[in-house]
Amino acid sequence: GQQVMQIPQYQHVQEGEDFTTYCNSSTTLSNIQWYKQRPGGHPVFLIQLVKSGEVKKQKRLTFQFGEAKKNSSLHITATQTTDVGTYFCAGDKGGSEKLVFGKGTKLTVNP
Amino acid sequence: GAVVSQHPSWVICKSGTSVKIECRSLDFQATTMFWYRQFPKQSLMLMATSNEGSKATYEQGVEKDKFLINHASLTLSTLTVTSAHPEDSSFYICSASVWALSTDTQYFGPGTRLTVL
């Protein structure tokens, strides 16, 4: 079945450093979504990427969707303590297929 | 790793009937379980947060009398869609959370696709 691998599982950075999490699917995706879960909270939708090679930015966050629509990345520039949380990617194969989540990357930021 | 199962994985029902969806944490005890719904091509929307032995907390706009949640044990939560209508057709996904060392990790179930005719 479809699998979505996400790495790294954990990432600890100093405040101000950059951070990147990568997501890879075993199959071509219709779209990919990214979620952030703050400690003690629930996943919150961040963005959806649909087009091959698409790049979207949200302030310090940059999201990319690979040309083959099988991989994606989330890059945070100059991390802040407010960026702490777990970032999940979720792949949508389209049609009636269910959304497949990656296991998430837990980011901690040292002030 | 922790595994969360949902049953059924898909269901088709007639309008006006009720449907129960089960969410189980298979190899761990979940402090909290979340229920989400997702319409095609849209983001996951949190419906309610469920803690074992207490009433679920519903998000704004979610009818608690229509979406009944029972969290009878640390490994089982159920969502019952009562008097289902076609507009309730959606993908319902649960997740289970466990607190350990002052942090929580959330594990998602595979989801249940509900189609109401």
Side-chain angles (χ1 to χ4, degrees):
Chain A
Q2 180 188 359
Q3 292 186 342
V4 174
M5 306 297 292
Q6 192 174 351
I7 58 170
Q9 188 175 0
Y10 302 99
Q11 185 74 59
H12 179 77
V13 299
Q14 290 293 126
E15 189 171 22
E17 292 181 341
D18 293 351
F19 159 75
T20 305
T21 174
Y22 301 92
C23 197
N24 289 287
S25 169
S26 57
T27 59
T28 301
L29 300 171
S30 171
N31 68 78
I32 195 161
Q33 301 171 21
W34 285 91
Y35 294 80
K36 176 185 177 181
Q37 181 186 18
R38 295 181 183 275
H42 61 271
V44 174
F45 174 78
L46 292 177
I47 207 162
Q48 178 176 272
L49 303 173
V50 179
K51 299 177 182 178
S52 170
E54 188 171 20
V55 178
K56 286 187 176 181
K57 291 189 176 183
Q58 290 179 351
K59 297 183 180 179
R60 293 178 294 104
L61 277 62
T62 302
F63 303 84
Q64 292 187 326
F65 200 8
E67 293 292 338
K69 299 184 75 172
K70 284 188 174 183
N71 57 74
S72 181
S73 65
L74 158 60
H75 179 82
I76 301 178
T77 303
T79 55
Q80 300 176 359
T81 54
T82 53
D83 296 324
V84 164
T86 301
Y87 293 85
F88 293 92
C89 64
D92 186 347
K93 199 177 177 182
S96 61
E97 297 288 337
K98 59 180 180 287
L99 203 63
V100 179
F101 285 86
K103 292 191 179 297
T105 296
K106 190 168 187 174
L107 172 65
T108 54
V109 179
N110 208 25
Chain B
V3 178
V4 175
S5 70
Q6 275 184 245
H7 178 79
S9 56
W10 60 270
V11 58
I12 301 173
C13 69
K14 292 183 178 180
S15 184
T17 61
S18 294
V19 175
K20 179 185 285 188
I21 301 170
E22 293 185 349
C23 178
R24 293 181 184 271
S25 55
L26 297 185
D27 52 359
F28 68 103
Q29 293 184 329
T31 310
T32 305
M33 286 186 173
F34 301 91
W35 285 98
Y36 298 82
R37 68 184 299 180
Q38 183 186 38
F39 293 104
K41 309 303 181 184
Q42 296 187 23
S43 65
L44 219 60
M45 292 177 56
L46 179 66
M47 298 175 66
T49 301
S50 171
N51 291 294
E52 183 265 341
S54 62
K55 290 184 178 181
T57 301
Y58 290 82
E59 295 298 298
Q60 190 173 8
V62 178
E63 299 176 59
K64 62 180 181 181
D65 294 325
K66 180 171 183 61
F67 298 98
L68 301 178
I69 292 174
N70 184 290
H71 196 156
S73 75
L74 287 171
T75 60
L76 173 65
S77 176
T78 61
L79 167 67
T80 301
V81 183
T82 62
S83 187
H85 289 96
E87 57 265 30
D88 297 324
S89 297
S90 186
F91 179 61
Y92 293 88
I93 186 169
C94 72
S95 65
S97 177
V98 59
W99 276 89
L101 301 176
S102 301
T103 62
D104 70 318
T105 302
Q106 192 162 139
Y107 302 95
F108 290 93
T112 297
R113 188 161 298 282
L114 170 64
T115 301
V116 184
L117 302 177

